[in-house]
Amino acid sequence: MTQPSFATHEVFNQSPAFEDVDLFGADRPLVEAVTFNNGGHAHVELEAFGRTWGSAHMAERGRLANEHTPRLKTFDAKGVRRDQVEFHPAYHELMQESFHAGIHNSTWDAHGHSAGGSSEVARAAKFYMAAQVETGHLCPVTMTRASIAALAAQPDLLAQVMPVLSSKRYDSSFVPWPEKRGMSIGMGMTEKQGGTDVRTNATRAIRNGDAYRIIGHKWFMSAPMCDAFLVLAQAEEGLSCFFMPRFKPDGSINEIHFQRLKDKLGNRSNASSEVEFTGAYALPVGEPGRGIRTIIQMVQLTRQDCAIASAGLMRSGLAHALYHARHRSVFQKHLVDHSLMQSVLADMALQVEASVALVMRLCRAFDQAPHDHHEAAYMRLMTPAVKYWICKSAPPFLYEAMECLGGNGYVEEGILARHYREAPVNAIWEGSGNVMCLDVLRAMSSETNAGTEVLQTLIQDTAGLTGGPAAASLVARAFLQADNERTARLAVETLAKLAAAAALNEIHPPHAELFARTRLTPEPATMYGAADLSAEQARSLLARALPEM
C-alpha cells in the first residue's frame, strides 16, 4: 500500500538570506551623510568596501569568529611561559580585511600627523559598515588607530613605530614589533579597585635607566595579542603613561602574564583579559605624572568609534528587519504592508537616519578641528554626548529589530542575537553613561565658553523645527542650574537629539522635522511605532533605508 506523502519539511514563507549586499550603495542615508560631510570623493572606495563586507563570505567569517572563541595558551608544551591567545582563522581574516582597508591608520599620514581632508568621514563609513558584520575584531583596530594620538606626546617613540603602524598589512605572528610587517596597539587602564577612577591605580612604575619596570595588574585589558599596549602606572611624579611591548629589547617575552580571558556577554570574538605585570619592560609616553592627559587623546578617538559602531549595529538591525518584513507573508499580505509593522519599521529607520547623520557630522568635526576653532569645540562637547545617546539607544533598538523577525530573530543562527549581545559594551567601554555626562558638563563649564557657542549654533540650526526651541531651552536651563549633575542625563540626551536634528536638517529637512516632532517634543513616544507618521512618510523612510531586493 502506497504511503501518503506529507511535505512537512518543505520550507516556504521565509525570507532569503540577507547577503551579497552592497552595504554602502544600499544605504542612502549613509551615502548622503558621507557626501554632505565632504566624503564624496571616497564613493568608489566605499562601494568596493561595501560589496566586500556585505558578501556571504564575510558574514560567514563573522559567524565563525564568534562561535569559535579565543583560547588562552599560558605555557607551551615544554612549560615555557608564552601567554598567547589563539584565534579562529576567521578572526584573522576579518583583521586582515580591516587592516587592508586602512581602518586602523588611514586618518594619519606616514609620520603620525593628521591625514586631513575628509579622512575621518571616509574611515568612519568603513567602520560603520564593518560593525554590521562583526564588531568584536574592531576593538584592536580602533585602539591601534587611537594610540597614535597618544604616542604623539612622545615624538621619538612615535617616529620609531610609525613605519610599522602605517602599514596596511596585518601580521599575526608572535615576534617583536620591529620585525613585523604591521602591528596593533592595545590599552590597559582599568584596575580592580578603581574602575573608572584611574587615579586610584595601584600599578607601579620603577625607573630602570631610560625605561621602566611595571609591577601590578589590569582588571580589563582587551586584545591581548596586540604587539604593544599603552598602560597607566604610578611613577614618582604621579600617574603616567607607558608603552609596553610584548617583547623586551633583547627579544625575550615581556613579563605580561595573562591570568584568564573574560567570559563576556557579547564581544566574544575579541579576547579581553586580566593581566599581571611582574616587572614588565616599558617606555615612558608623554610628561611624567600627566598620564591621564596623555591617554585621553586616545580615549577621545575610541569614544568616537563606540558611537559609530553602535550606529552600525542599529543599521544592521534595521536592514535585517526590513528585508524580512518585505519577504514574510502574514494574514495574506507581506508583513511590511501591514500599517502597524510599517509604522514600527519607519520609526526605526528615522532613528538610524538621524544617528548616521549625527556620527558623520561628528567625524566632520574631527576632520576640521585642527584648523577650525568652532569644529574643535563641537568635537569636544559632542563626542561624549553622541557616545552617550547612540550607544544607549542601540540595545533597545536591536531588541525591537529581533522582535520584527519573531523567533527567527531570537535564535543564535541569525545575526541579530549576536548584535543584541554586542550592543551594551559600547556604552560601558571608554567611559560609562555617567562618565560621558560628567564630561559634557566639564566641556560646558570651560572658561573658553566653547560649549556655550556650540549650543548657540545648535539652537539656531533647529529653531525652525518642531520642538527645537523648547529642547534647546531645556538643555540651557539644565546646564546652568547649580546642581546640574542631578539632571545631566536628561540634558545630555536632549543635547544629542538636538544635534541629530540639526545634522539631519542639513541633509534631509523633511525627515529632520519628523525626527524633531517625534523626539524633541515634551512627551515623545517611547516605543518604536508609537510616533504618528503618515503612510507617505513611512514609505519615504523605508525606501531610503533599503532598496527593494
Side-chain angles (χ1 to χ4, degrees):
M1 182 176 180
T2 304
Q3 295 293 322
S5 175
F6 299 103
T8 57
H9 294 288
E10 180 183 352
V11 177
F12 62 97
N13 196 25
Q14 290 279 359
S15 55
F18 185 65
E19 57 190 27
D20 294 324
V21 179
D22 178 356
L23 296 180
F24 185 70
D27 187 347
R28 196 185 311 172
L30 173 63
V31 172
E32 293 182 1
V34 167
T35 302
F36 186 85
N37 289 290
N38 306 322
H41 66 90
H43 276 202
V44 173
E45 180 183 1
L46 294 177
E47 286 168 2
F49 185 92
R51 287 191 295 271
T52 295
W53 282 81
S55 67
H57 177 81
M58 291 302 289
E60 182 67 359
R61 302 285 79 70
R63 181 189 70 81
L64 289 170
N66 281 271
E67 289 190 6
H68 302 275
T69 54
R71 297 176 59 195
L72 176 61
K73 309 294 286 187
T74 309
F75 299 92
D76 68 11
K78 304 298 183 181
V80 177
R81 184 128 199 178
R82 300 288 291 178
D83 291 288
Q84 289 181 265
V85 179
E86 291 182 348
F87 295 89
H88 189 274
Y91 172 89
H92 293 297
E93 189 170 344
L94 290 162
M95 289 289 291
Q96 181 177 327
E97 288 290 343
S98 286
F99 269 56
H100 177 70
I103 304 180
H104 70 302
N105 65 9
S106 59
T107 58
W108 310 102
D109 66 16
H111 304 289
H113 304 136
S114 172
S118 59
S119 58
E120 289 281 353
V121 169
R123 175 198 174 269
K126 294 178 182 178
F127 201 87
Y128 178 82
M129 289 185 277
Q132 298 173 42
V133 180
E134 207 293 306
T135 315
H137 84 284
L138 292 175
C139 175
V141 172
T142 187
M143 289 193 297
T144 301
R145 190 283 281 242
S147 69
I148 298 173
L151 288 170
Q154 196 69 38
D156 57 335
L157 179 58
L158 179 64
Q160 293 177 50
V161 298
M162 272 313 295
V164 189
L165 276 176
S166 62
S167 167
K168 290 187 177 182
R169 301 182 70 176
Y170 171 65
D171 186 344
S172 63
S173 61
F174 189 51
V175 296
W177 67 261
E179 301 175 19
K180 300 189 69 167
R181 298 170 297 173
M183 68 180 293
S184 58
I185 296 181
M187 175 172 57
M189 295 201 305
T190 307
E191 297 185 7
K192 297 186 188 77
Q193 73 285 345
T196 296
D197 187 4
V198 295
R199 294 185 187 278
T200 67
N201 279 11
T203 296
R204 293 178 295 128
I206 302 170
R207 187 180 293 277
N208 185 21
D210 293 333
Y212 285 78
R213 293 174 61 242
I214 309 296
I215 300 173
H217 77 281
K218 297 296 172 185
W219 186 231
F220 274 93
M221 194 156 84
S222 286
M225 285 308 291
C226 285
D227 299 292
F229 304 90
L230 294 182
V231 301
L232 292 179
Q234 298 285 0
E236 290 182 4
E237 300 85 352
L239 194 62
S240 304
C241 184
F242 297 91
F243 175 86
M244 182 186 292
R246 286 300 312 269
F247 290 82
K248 294 185 287 189
D250 64 5
S252 62
I253 299 175
N254 207 356
E255 283 84 0
I256 303 171
H257 295 161
F258 299 113
Q259 304 303 300
R260 62 172 175 166
L261 300 185
K262 297 289 191 180
D263 186 9
K264 296 172 292 185
L265 168 69
N267 198 249
R268 291 183 170 272
S269 68
N270 175 44
S272 299
S273 64
E274 297 169 22
V275 63
E276 182 179 6
F277 307 131
T278 57
Y281 168 88
L283 295 170
V285 178
E287 186 179 347
R290 307 299 293 272
I292 295 177
R293 170 173 287 192
T294 299
I295 211 163
I296 201 68
Q297 302 302 317
M298 179 179 185
V299 172
Q300 182 87 331
L301 293 171
T302 54
R303 287 175 177 175
Q304 174 196 16
D305 278 354
C306 284
I308 298 167
S310 288
L313 288 171
M314 289 193 288
R315 162 62 194 176
S316 182
L318 169 66
H320 280 88
L322 179 53
Y323 182 77
H324 172 81
R326 283 175 174 165
H327 289 86
R328 179 78 162 182
S329 292
V330 179
F331 306 126
Q332 289 77 54
K333 59 182 179 181
H334 283 122
L335 190 55
V336 74
D337 294 326
H338 290 272
S339 58
L340 187 54
M341 177 57 78
Q342 191 173 97
S343 295
V344 171
L345 291 167
D347 207 6
M348 293 169 68
L350 182 59
Q351 183 79 6
V352 172
E353 190 160 338
S355 297
V356 71
L358 179 58
V359 295
M360 291 303 164
R361 170 66 185 91
L362 177 62
C363 292
R364 187 177 96 207
F366 272 82
D367 274 323
Q368 298 178 352
H371 50 79
D372 188 315
H373 168 76
H374 180 77
E375 292 299 310
Y378 185 99
M379 180 185 74
R380 170 66 185 91
L381 177 68
M382 293 310 304
T383 298
V386 172
K387 180 187 184 296
Y388 176 85
W389 178 61
I390 291 183
C391 293
K392 283 195 169 294
S393 297
F397 185 99
L398 287 158
Y399 154 71
E400 195 70 56
M402 284 198 301
E403 187 175 315
C404 291
L405 273 70
N408 285 350
Y410 193 67
V411 297
E412 291 292 345
E413 283 89 342
I415 196 172
L416 292 188
R418 169 154 48 97
H419 282 348
Y420 183 64
R421 286 186 282 101
E422 191 79 36
V425 75
N426 286 325
I428 297 170
W429 270 350
E430 312 309 315
S432 62
N434 285 353
V435 173
M436 294 302 97
C437 290
L438 292 173
D439 203 19
V440 172
L441 293 181
R442 280 191 290 272
M444 286 300 299
S445 63
S446 170
E447 295 179 0
T448 64
N449 292 320
T452 303
E453 292 177 14
V454 173
L455 180 58
Q456 288 299 321
T457 301
L458 292 178
I459 291 172
Q460 295 169 14
D461 293 344
T462 57
L465 299 176
T466 300
S473 177
L474 183 155
V475 173
R477 289 197 311 272
F479 285 143
L480 288 173
Q481 67 184 22
D483 187 14
N484 57 12
E485 191 175 313
R486 182 176 57 84
T487 57
R489 282 198 168 209
L490 176 61
V492 172
E493 178 182 350
T494 307
L495 172 65
K497 290 192 288 190
L498 197 69
L504 187 54
N505 199 35
E506 294 181 316
I507 300 170
H508 200 285
H511 289 175
E513 170 59 25
L514 276 180
F515 180 84
R517 179 168 62 79
T518 57
R519 270 71 171 178
L520 295 180
T521 49
E523 296 183 0
T526 58
M527 301 292 180
Y528 290 105
D532 184 14
L533 305 179
S534 71
E536 182 180 353
Q537 290 167 337
R539 285 192 293 269
S540 172
L541 283 159
L542 297 182
R544 288 168 57 78
L546 187 70
E548 297 277 0
M549 57 180 66

